[in-house]
Amino acid sequence: SQTIHQWPATLVQPVGSPLSLECTVEGTSNPNLYWYRQAAGRGLQLLFYSVGIGQISSEVPQNLSASRPQDRQFILSSKKLLLSDSGFYLCAWSTGPKRNIQYFGAGTRLSVL
Amino acid sequence: KQEVTQIPAALSVPEGENLVLNCSFTDSAIYNLQWFRQDPGKGLTSLLLIQSSQREQTSGRLNASLDKSSGRSTLYIAASQPGDSATYLCAVLGTALIFGKGTTLSVSS
């Protein structure tokens, strides 16, 4: 069966520090991978999606970047965190065409202080 | 640009009540619509997925309907229980998966 792992579950970082959140998927090949963010009082927002290794599409301009060094690994990064980067980050995967159902990880709660 | 709206933003009901959560979207060109449940500080649990060609889906006490032409979906929860307390999110898949802000449900015993 397929599983998705996200870590860490919670993270507290100072402003200006770097960030690296990792997401891995098991039990499937060539998944579409997604990073979402849920800021306080706001809905979920798609940040990045990837249809293959090294292929990243950004949905909104921001302080963050994403990379996909391996087929089932998706990394969300920042060189210098801002206060506004605080939120709940969710990784998701799907297979086949984008209209297939997406499966979500448990999420990472990031607090930038 | 697709926009998804969920009404009400919050709802409190006593145990045993039947309730309806509403979701509306502005662009009817969608592949599917999903309802999710989110418990505080946790990830999403997919509840129901309705393909664009379908009118409704049922799972246990949950029933979701879709009227694509009017841009509306409802999630019906029968005989609510305290364990149903959570935030319910609606999301539509077009060129991207767009979420509403959710309805926070509280069921008291």
Side-chain angles (χ1 to χ4, degrees), chain B residues 23-58:
Chain B
C23 172
S24 61
F25 48 96
T26 55
D27 186 350
S28 61
I30 63 171
Y31 290 112
N32 61 50
L33 181 145
Q34 290 182 238
W35 283 94
F36 295 89
R37 169 184 173 140
Q38 184 177 30
D39 292 284
K42 296 187 178 180
L44 302 180
T45 300
S46 181
L47 298 174
L48 291 164
L49 169 72
I50 311 176
Q51 300 291 356
S52 62
S53 58
Q54 298 175 323
R55 298 284 292 183
E56 67 176 344
Q57 283 288 326
T58 298

Side-chain angles (χ1 to χ4, degrees), chain A residues 21-63:
Chain A
L21 301 182
E22 189 163 345
C23 171
T24 59
V25 180
E26 297 177 358
T28 187
S29 297
N30 195 30
N32 298 327
L33 297 172
Y34 310 84
W35 277 112
Y36 291 88
R37 175 171 63 196
Q38 186 175 39
R42 302 179 65 179
L44 270 168
Q45 182 182 39
L46 178 63
L47 301 176
F48 301 96
Y49 71 90
S50 170
V51 297
I53 295 175
Q55 301 178 60
I56 310 294
S57 296
S58 175
E59 291 293 304
V60 293
Q62 58 212 314
N63 183 44

